[in-house]
Amino acid sequence: RLREAAALYIAISGLERAEATLESERLLAEVITPFLAELSAVVHAQHGYLAQQHDGGALALFGYPDTQGDARLRAVRAAHSLQ
């Protein structure tokens, strides 16, 4: 059985510059952790699933494992909310 799904990769723009100017602990506390918290809230609000997270980016899936038929639209809404 085939079903529609959409993948969205999100990363922090300019992270390399921040890494050059901030200590690791401060970067994590002030940039990465808040980013991942907001990302998680936005993805879940659009009924998405965070498949992977790493230091400044994440892969979100929509339409998997739950199918709702409008995966592409929900992925675009999530991306738009994060701009």
Side-chain angles (χ1 to χ4, degrees):
R1 169 181 143 131
L2 295 177
R3 47 185 174 166
E4 178 186 318
L8 175 65
Y9 180 78
I10 307 102
I12 298 174
S13 176
L15 185 60
E16 295 78 22
R17 285 176 291 180
E19 288 174 327
T21 60
L22 294 175
E23 296 175 8
S24 298
E25 295 82 17
R26 192 168 168 206
L27 180 68
L28 184 62
E30 295 178 12
V31 178
I32 295 173
T33 299
F35 166 76
L36 291 175
E38 180 182 357
L39 172 63
S40 180
V42 167
V43 168
H44 287 112
Q46 291 298 326
H47 306 284
Y49 165 71
L50 285 176
Q52 289 184 335
Q53 293 182 15
H54 56 83
D55 287 347
L59 177 65
L61 301 176
F62 300 85
Y64 176 85
D66 297 324
T67 59
Q68 293 190 0
D70 59 349
R72 290 177 289 178
L73 179 59
R74 291 184 288 116
V76 169
R77 284 180 181 157
H80 187 263
S81 294
L82 291 166
Q83 290 186 8

